[in-house]
Amino acid sequence: MFKINDNYLKLPGSYLFSTIAKKIAAYSEAHPDADIIRLGIGDVTQPIAPAIIEAVHKAADEMGTEAGFHGYAPDLGYEFLRSKIAEHDFKARGCEISADEIFVSDGAKCDCANIQEIFSLDNRIAVCDPVYPVYVDSNIMSGRGGVYDEATERFSDIIYMPCTAENNFAPDLPSETPDLIYLCFPNNPTGSVLTKDQLQQWVDYARRVGAVILYDAAYEAYISEDHIPHSIYECEGARTCAIEFHSFSKNAGFTGMRLGYTVVPKDLKTPDGVMLHTLWARRHGTKYNGAPYIIQKAGEAVYSPEGKAQLKEQVAHYMRNAHIIYDGLKSSGYTVSGGVNSPYVWMKTPDSMTSWEFFDYLLEHANVVGTPGAGFGPSGEGYFRLTAFGTYENTVKAVERFKNL
Ligand code: MLT
């Protein structure tokens, strides 16, 4: 008789954004006329930029010709895309990352979730609290993390690093020693950032204790301040201790197109010289058949002069929304943070409401959807996340509704 992987049964509840989607569906069914504004999941609303669409059409046409047809993509992704990534995302920032250290994939979420497979099951992970749920859930599914304690809402063998108003939502170095450290900056969900000095401290710490930092840079395009690093490889020594994840979803609107990449530097090795790059290449080769040629061509257009100019405008569009949310809520008396180098605004719930109470209250009284902070971990309780990825009109309307609550 078959047996299931009962690690899955250790996961409390359902995936956060599925729970929210179900709640919205139930509310819409009961209130079919409600004009619901969704500022919950970080999904983009702007159409794909013209330079990218042009590249998609061209690549699709090519695929219909004998000369331009492409079958399976190379394991690591097409050279034309990897070399553009290396040049624009790393070399231009003074980071020493070569094209063959870049693994193209269909998005950062899958890579963030799958990377733990190349590490031993007895490795201990450290995560920020609140945290993007994928890091924890994927480790639990694999058998790490220990048992879940309902009272503390924490797994016994995970090191949680509280990110609260007291530390500006930036984690302190942990008192217990982890093997794998997940960091995401600009942060999802709080919108906080680390300065280069702060990030350098993490790199120095990881090297000292022999840990690997799993750095999620999905939101780096939203950094507006010069002293905030876009990549962990801007820090000295990061090539020997960090893996970095990037997404085309947030900077170029690819949530429905699917494209991302992961950097595994060749200097990242075990003490006896095994390169993590080799392991990830093996995993990629066995379990993944590559992002479609057409989509990788679309990704290449992200780095063309036209693509870059159009995406700068797109990011500015979302950041205008972020400012509208931040300023509007602040002037209405809410305590808010984030939103400066991030498309997420993190607010304190009013009147000591729990995050989920506020979710229900806001949905019912303003028909606005956000994401309950508690869904990202116990330190998110009493907070609420709003995304700037909505349309301008809906963002303005949502803020007006907040003011009238
Ligand atoms: C979020 O809302 O946290 C993100 O959209 C989730 C994701 O990128 O997978």
Side-chain angles (χ1 to χ4, degrees):
M1 183 59 187
F2 71 86
K3 286 188 182 155
I4 56 160
N5 172 358
D6 56 12
N7 292 318
Y8 278 63
L9 303 181
K10 294 184 193 160
L11 293 166
S14 57
Y15 184 60
L16 172 62
F17 294 105
S18 313
T19 309
I20 291 174
K22 275 190 207 132
K23 273 185 168 269
I24 303 171
Y27 188 84
S28 301
E29 204 181 316
H31 307 86
D33 297 330
D35 173 22
I36 296 175
I37 298 177
R38 293 161 193 253
L39 304 182
I41 191 164
D43 196 1
V44 292
T45 48
Q46 287 274 292
I48 300 290
I52 298 169
I53 290 298
E54 203 184 311
V56 169
H57 282 293
K58 215 168 136 218
D61 287 343
E62 258 183 68
M63 288 288 267
T65 67
E66 253 174 56
F69 171 76
H70 287 79
Y72 290 124
D75 275 0
L76 268 65
Y78 286 101
E79 168 66 24
F80 62 74
L81 176 58
R82 288 187 295 123
S83 57
K84 285 283 186 310
I85 292 170
E87 183 190 334
H88 292 264
D89 289 353
F90 298 104
K91 196 164 175 236
R93 292 182 177 134
C95 306
E96 195 198 319
I97 294 295
S98 62
D100 63 359
E101 295 175 312
I102 294 162
F103 294 77
V104 174
S105 72
D106 63 359
K109 176 174 173 175
C110 303
D111 288 352
C112 286
N114 292 328
I115 196 74
Q116 45 76 28
E117 286 183 26
I118 65 169
F119 297 98
S120 166
L121 280 184
D122 62 9
N123 275 188
R124 277 194 92 187
I125 68 162
V127 294
C128 292
D129 170 24
V131 67
Y132 179 44
V134 170
Y135 314 146
V136 171
D137 288 9
S138 55
N139 276 280
I140 300 303
M141 288 168 174
S142 289
R144 275 186 216 90
V147 287
Y148 186 69
D149 176 13
E150 302 257 347
T152 59
E153 296 173 47
R154 289 178 163 185
F155 285 92
S156 58
D157 203 26
I158 291 181
I159 300 167
Y160 292 87
M161 306 182 290
C163 296
T164 60
E166 285 70 45
N167 58 14
N168 265 328
F169 304 103
D172 299 321
L173 294 176
S175 48
E176 296 172 274
T177 308
D179 303 297
L180 306 174
I181 304 164
Y182 287 86
L183 294 177
C184 170
F185 289 98
N187 186 255
N188 180 14
T190 66
S192 66
V193 282
L194 295 184
T195 63
K196 189 159 169 207
D197 286 350
Q198 285 175 311
L199 190 54
Q200 184 67 56
Q201 277 178 28
W202 279 97
V203 169
D204 295 345
Y205 170 78
R207 295 180 75 193
R208 205 163 57 237
V209 302
V212 174
I213 297 177
L214 302 168
Y215 195 72
D216 185 349
Y219 297 95
E220 60 82 16
Y222 293 86
I223 292 171
S224 65
E225 295 177 311
D226 288 344
H227 62 291
I228 306 299
H230 287 250
S231 163
I232 195 165
Y233 303 115
E234 291 176 45
C235 295
E236 214 180 304
R239 282 184 55 84
T240 63
C241 70
I243 290 175
E244 185 166 282
F245 308 99
H246 283 252
S247 165
F248 283 73
S249 292
K250 317 293 173 175
N251 67 329
F254 277 44
T255 52
M257 306 246 286
R258 307 309 314 147
L259 193 65
Y261 69 87
T262 290
V263 180
V264 189
K266 292 187 174 171
D267 294 344
L268 181 46
K269 297 176 190 158
T270 63
D272 45 5
V274 180
M275 288 200 296
L276 299 197
H277 184 279
T278 311
L279 304 189
W280 189 239
R282 186 72 174 83
R283 196 259 171 218
H284 222 58
T286 301
K287 294 198 177 181
Y288 186 61
N289 256 338
Y293 173 73
I294 296 172
I295 302 298
Q296 294 198 43
K297 273 289 179 192
E300 185 188 23
V302 164
Y303 299 99
S304 69
E306 305 74 36
K308 280 179 109 166
Q310 290 161 10
L311 293 176
K312 200 169 163 199
E313 268 178 43
Q314 219 169 70
V315 167
H317 168 92
Y318 292 131
M319 284 315 281
R320 178 166 67 146
N321 289 348
H323 297 149
I324 289 167
I325 298 170
Y326 185 98
D327 295 342
L329 264 53
K330 195 163 184 203
S331 65
S332 311
Y334 291 96
T335 304
V336 283
S337 59
V340 176
N341 294 293
S342 159
Y344 294 130
V345 175
W346 189 239
M347 59 169 285
K348 219 168 156 32
T349 57
D351 306 326
S352 308
M353 273 190 231
T354 68
S355 302
W356 282 105
E357 279 166 0
F358 187 63
F359 176 92
D360 291 333
Y361 176 82
L362 194 66
L363 181 57
E364 196 174 319
H365 296 275
N367 289 174
V368 173
V369 175
T371 310
F376 297 101
S379 296
E381 183 55 280
Y383 285 89
F384 201 72
R385 192 194 77 175
L386 293 163
T387 160
F389 286 127
T391 62
Y392 170 74
E393 293 71 24
N394 275 347
T395 303
V396 170
K397 205 152 62 162
V399 169
E400 279 310 307
R401 292 187 193 174
F402 260 93
K403 287 182 178 165
N404 295 331
L405 268 177

